[in-house]
Amino acid sequence: MPKSKRNRAVTLSKTKKKPGLERKGKVVTEIKDAIERHSSAYVFTYNNMRNQKLKDLRDQLKSSSRIFLAGKKVMQIALGRSPADEAKTGLHKLSKYLQGNTGLLFTNLPRDDVERLFREFEGLDFARTGSIATETVELKEGPLEQFSHEMEPFIRKQGLPVRLNKGVVELIADHVVCEEGKPLSPEAAHTLRLLGVQMATFRLYLVCRWSSDDFEVYKEGLAQLTAASVAMKTSVARSPLVALVLCLSLSFGFASRDVEEVGWRRVEGRVEWGKGRSGNTGRPYYFGEESFREWSRTPLGHFKLLERFDDELLRGSVGDYRVTYLEMAPRAFLQPSHFDADEVLYVKEGEGVLVLLRKGRRESLCLREGDVMVIPAGSIMYFANTHRSKWLRVVMLLNYASFEEFFPVGGEGPDSYLSAFSDEVLQAAFNSRRDELERVFERQSKGEIWQASEEQIQELSRSCSRGGGGSGSKEEEIKPTSLLGQKPRYSNNNGRMHVITGDECRHLLDLDMEVSIANITSGSMMAPRYTTRATTIAVVVEGSGYFEMACPHKSDSGRSERREHGSEEQQRKKSRGYKQVTAQIKEGSVIMLPAGYPATFVAGNEGNLAVVCIGVGSGNDEEVFLAGGNSLLKQLDPPAKAIVFGEQGREAADRVIGAQTESVFLHGPQQQSRGGGVSDM
């Protein structure tokens, strides 16, 4: 049957498209017209742009001035980029200041009036995600009467520990919404808006001024423009748009191994921020936030689990290990349980009481920030955050990839493992009736993390110690060891490293592990190094930056020819090459460094970079540094240098290998760039 011509969908939302070239040409014409009608022109920059407040300013200046916020190149073309094509004499000088967040103001107002207007103009508004907090905002425990009961689920999603108490939203613990000088998270930005706290100030700054007989640059505006440009470069890798692009690049990585990355890199001898081509995005050696999944969550905390190290490159060395995160709200209590795997934990932030039930006794231990501790498999453990306002955050490594957690007390979630036994067995084992057993072990409905009262926390804390008071032997003793309290193995102005080995912690020796933390000063780097036997699991606990690693691979050049004419002997003659593995890292990132693979960490400019490293298989392990004052390459003897570098290149090799006088922690690429780079030798 022929298709009816009447049955057609008609789109009612069609609009006439505006050709881009025509629109840009119109802007150029309007700017040139403004040049003719006004006596002076200004370039200005701004902070915390708000459209409505800019519209109000436009209306205020409508009779005497005209403001343009358009594409930088479009405005430069309208003004002229050189004396040959400028619209009026001297106008091309404005063009070079049109960069970043800038605009043009054409006006007939006197210079003093314009300067006073820009100096006095400002507008307060709510800060957005990524803005720097101008003050610390802390909410105290108690009712939040400004919020209706319908808002309680939304407020809880913003990370606030709240509950409904007789229809009133109640904060069950002190909560820090934001800290002065730190970027706002999306949740913090939403919470500040709900509280009515305005932290963003929309301001305008004059950068330079042109008139027919004068040209002037304003130092304050130029400084703001420079600072904004640096901030934009630093934040571009964290923007949601760039994150989306990187995620899409990962998704299509099977189709193309060349992924465009953003970050610091060396271009023609200069270190600059920008985009570049890289062979991969750090996989399978790098794991970001997207690689974690929720193991359990309540309003008072959560337990996150990193995906398994299933790649064939890692399975043999660390395939049996899992990285986990535990976060607990102030005065939260983690209910008793045991794992079928040994645990190595590091207290990243906060303080608490950890109680172990093992070998027929109870051990109550005080944990502090920077502590390392081993919990043997099968030990019943419960945990409490003893701080009034600070969250407790712990990084853990379990040495069994398919581990399970077992809870003696359960109910709606999690279940008690005792519920798997028959009634007859349980009644005989506990010498109790079925209803009593059910009431004790199977009617818990608070989840894995509960809220404890102030009195209960104090009671738990009263008997805790730092260990050493048990009746068992010293070898069997379980106690926390302060990683940050250890004497630094390496230390200078660019960073320091603290290490705990089997000598300080007997249980690490039994697990063939060691734990260290490298705190790298802002803008500095760790010298390229490798370990001889240990595979390192590195967890970023503070700051941001990037890592680079040399990964061996065989080149694919000439592959088709070998398929046609190659023999087994030719296949063995594949050329050996090294691939750069690199990725931007931040707090929560996990990086795998196989034994023998040279790697380095570089701290960003916003603050120090702290990386906790757990060496797996560390028995008889050795660190080998390839650059710096303790570079192993310095041990090459003269005959070997003559053979490797040639007689003419031996002196140059000595200069290169000996040029770096610092050891382990060095000035980073950004510092070298600001210092004028490395001089020619």
Side-chain angles (χ1 to χ4, degrees):
M1 185 175 181
K3 196 177 287 186
S4 172
K5 294 183 179 180
R6 296 178 181 175
N7 188 20
R8 291 183 179 177
V10 179
T11 302
L12 300 177
S13 59
K14 289 184 178 179
T15 57
K16 185 178 179 181
K17 292 185 178 180
K18 298 179 180 179
L21 193 60
E22 178 182 331
R23 186 171 62 253
K24 292 175 182 178
K26 183 180 178 182
V27 173
V28 170
T29 302
E30 291 178 353
I31 291 177
K32 289 186 174 181
D33 182 55
I35 293 171
E36 298 298 329
R37 292 189 292 106
H38 298 90
S39 59
S40 58
Y42 295 80
V43 173
F44 64 89
T45 186
Y46 50 84
N47 287 339
N48 299 310
M49 168 60 73
R50 296 297 185 267
N51 290 338
Q52 183 57 48
K53 299 187 185 301
L54 180 65
K55 183 177 181 296
D56 295 341
L57 180 63
R58 286 183 192 268
D59 293 340
Q60 181 181 344
L61 299 175
K62 190 174 182 179
S63 60
S64 61
S65 309
R66 180 76 189 272
I67 294 176
F68 289 92
L69 286 175
K72 307 304 176 287
K73 290 185 179 180
V74 174
M75 293 191 290
Q76 288 172 353
I77 291 172
L79 296 174
R81 298 180 176 179
S82 66
D85 60 1
E86 62 187 3
K88 281 190 176 182
T89 304
L91 261 180
H92 75 280
K93 296 178 182 178
L94 296 177
S95 294
K96 73 174 184 177
Y97 294 100
L98 288 170
Q99 52 181 294
N101 296 328
T102 52
L104 283 172
L105 169 69
F106 295 94
T107 183
N108 290 319
L109 292 174
R111 169 183 167 180
D112 292 342
D113 290 351
V114 175
E115 291 177 353
R116 184 177 64 257
L117 174 67
F118 273 69
R119 188 167 54 250
E120 296 175 355
F121 178 82
E122 66 175 38
L124 277 175
D125 205 339
F126 296 107
R128 296 169 180 169
T129 301
S131 300
I132 302 300
T134 58
E135 60 179 296
T136 298
V137 176
E138 182 177 359
L139 299 177
K140 297 297 183 182
E141 176 186 358
L144 301 175
E145 297 179 352
Q146 65 267 47
F147 302 126
S148 64
H149 69 277
E150 295 96 339
M151 296 183 67
E152 189 267 342
F154 178 76
I155 297 171
R156 186 159 19 94
K157 286 182 180 179
Q158 310 314 312
L160 275 70
V162 295
R163 66 181 177 187
L164 278 179
N165 185 5
K166 298 181 181 179
V168 178
V169 179
E170 183 180 48
L171 194 66
I172 59 179
D174 294 349
H175 178 74
V176 177
V177 179
C178 63
E179 296 184 40
E180 183 179 357
K182 293 187 177 182
L184 294 179
S185 65
E187 294 78 14
H190 290 154
T191 304
L192 292 175
R193 183 177 288 269
L194 290 174
L195 296 172
V197 178
Q198 296 181 328
M199 288 191 179
T201 303
F202 174 36
R203 284 197 178 96
L204 300 172
Y205 303 90
L206 293 174
V207 177
C208 58
R209 180 184 66 86
W210 169 91
S211 65
S212 58
D213 56 355
D214 190 19
F215 181 79
E216 179 183 4
V217 176
Y218 296 89
K219 291 183 179 180
E220 182 184 4
L222 185 59
Q224 287 290 333
L225 180 60
T226 304
S229 178
V230 171
M232 192 189 324
K233 291 176 180 178
T234 307
S235 64
V236 65
R238 298 196 304 266
S239 70
L241 180 59
V242 174
L244 176 61
V245 172
L246 291 177
C247 289
L248 290 175
S249 299
L250 281 170
S251 301
F252 293 107
F254 296 103
S256 172
R257 297 289 293 181
D258 292 327
V259 179
E260 195 171 53
E261 295 187 337
V262 179
W264 290 101
R265 57 188 75 251
R266 184 169 292 279
V267 180
E268 297 180 355
R270 307 183 311 277
V271 176
E272 62 182 37
W273 187 279
K275 297 180 179 179
R277 306 298 293 183
S278 175
N280 54 47
T281 55
R283 285 298 196 141
Y285 305 100
Y286 165 78
F287 302 85
E289 291 181 357
E290 72 285 350
S291 301
F292 285 86
R293 66 177 178 85
E294 294 284 353
W295 177 266
S296 64
R297 172 180 283 274
T298 75
L300 297 169
H302 66 274
F303 188 68
K304 293 195 301 184
L305 180 66
L306 184 66
E307 65 185 53
R308 298 179 63 161
F309 302 126
D310 274 342
D311 192 278
E312 61 181 358
L313 297 171
L314 303 174
R315 196 180 301 133
S317 56
V318 292
D320 290 335
Y321 294 85
R322 300 293 289 274
V323 176
T324 64
Y325 279 134
L326 172 65
E327 296 191 353
M328 297 169 59
R331 296 208 295 266
F333 177 82
L334 179 68
Q335 71 155 305
S337 67
H338 75 266
F339 289 101
D340 57 351
D342 294 311
E343 301 173 62
V344 178
L345 64 83
Y346 172 77
V347 182
K348 173 188 165 189
E349 184 180 342
E351 60 184 40
V353 175
L354 176 69
V355 180
L356 291 180
L357 309 180
R358 57 185 294 270
K359 295 187 177 294
R361 64 179 186 270
R362 182 180 68 250
E363 300 170 74
S364 182
L365 302 166
C366 301
L367 294 187
R368 303 167 187 160
E369 187 171 321
D371 278 349
V372 172
M373 184 173 166
V374 176
I375 302 176
S379 302
I380 295 180
M381 172 194 76
Y382 48 96
F383 214 162
N385 182 354
T386 56
H387 203 280
R388 293 190 171 207
S389 60
K390 202 171 186 179
W391 280 64
L392 175 65
R393 294 181 169 88
V394 179
V395 179
M396 294 186 288
L397 181 70
L398 291 93
N399 71 339
Y400 184 43
S402 300
F403 74 90
E404 292 293 343
E405 188 174 12
F406 298 85
F407 295 92
V409 179
E412 296 179 8
D415 288 334
S416 167
Y417 53 72
L418 295 175
S419 63
F421 292 94
S422 64
D423 292 346
E424 295 79 9
V425 168
L426 290 177
Q427 291 177 50
F430 287 93
N431 193 25
S432 301
R433 297 195 310 271
R434 172 60 191 165
D435 58 336
E436 292 180 331
L437 292 169
E438 184 178 345
R439 184 167 58 251
V440 171
F441 293 115
E442 299 179 26
R443 290 189 179 176
Q444 184 274 120
S445 59
K446 300 177 184 178
E448 191 170 339
I449 302 177
W450 307 345
Q451 181 68 51
S453 67
E454 181 70 29
E455 293 76 16
Q456 291 168 332
I457 292 294
Q458 290 177 358
E459 186 66 28
L460 284 169
S461 304
R462 190 168 294 128
S463 59
C464 81
S465 68
R466 295 290 289 175
S471 58
S473 66
K474 192 171 183 179
E475 288 76 13
E476 294 179 348
E477 185 182 26
I478 298 291
K479 64 177 182 179
T481 304
S482 175
L483 178 58
L484 300 177
Q486 302 296 311
K487 182 180 178 181
R489 177 179 289 184
Y490 310 108
S491 179
N492 59 28
N493 291 335
N494 296 310
R496 64 184 183 276
M497 179 186 289
H498 305 267
V499 183
I500 294 178
T501 66
D503 295 333
E504 292 81 29
C505 179
R506 169 74 185 184
H507 295 280
L508 283 178
L509 182 63
D510 295 338
L511 295 175
D512 198 16
M513 292 184 186
E514 71 174 28
V515 182
S516 63
I517 183 169
N519 196 314
I520 307 172
T521 306
S522 172
S524 300
M525 64 178 285
M526 180 180 282
R529 60 178 277 279
Y530 64 86
T531 54
T532 56
R533 287 182 171 83
T535 296
T536 302
I537 301 174
V539 182
V540 180
V541 295
E542 180 185 347
S544 61
Y546 65 94
F547 88 100
E548 290 185 4
M549 182 172 67
C551 178
H553 76 291
K554 293 182 178 180
S555 75
D556 294 331
S557 59
R559 180 171 54 187
S560 59
E561 182 179 346
R562 284 196 298 271
R563 284 180 176 175
E564 296 178 9
H565 309 290
S567 63
E568 186 176 345
E569 178 66 22
Q570 288 174 315
Q571 292 288 342
R572 286 199 297 268
K573 290 182 179 179
K574 279 185 176 181
S575 60
R576 192 76 169 174
Y578 298 92
K579 193 174 190 177
Q580 183 195 71
V581 177
T582 182
Q584 301 293 320
I585 57 176
K586 62 179 181 179
E587 187 174 330
S589 299
V590 178
I591 305 98
M592 305 300 306
L593 306 175
Y597 285 38
T600 182
F601 290 97
V602 182
N605 284 332
E606 293 184 338
N608 292 358
L609 174 66
V611 184
V612 169
C613 298
I614 303 175
V616 177
S618 60
N620 299 317
D621 183 53
E622 179 187 351
E623 286 181 297
V624 176
F625 290 91
L626 303 174
N630 61 343
S631 168
L632 194 61
L633 297 179
K634 287 186 173 183
Q635 303 305 317
L636 286 170
D637 54 31
K641 292 178 184 176
I643 295 171
V644 174
F645 305 111
E647 289 292 345
Q648 296 180 347
R650 191 172 69 177
E651 292 184 6
D654 287 336
R655 287 196 301 270
V656 169
I657 295 173
Q660 179 59 261
T661 57
E662 296 281 2
S663 297
V664 183
F665 297 104
L666 318 173
H667 289 300
Q670 301 95 311
Q671 293 174 331
Q672 290 279 9
S673 177
R674 289 197 298 267
V678 180
S679 60
D680 294 334
M681 291 182 289

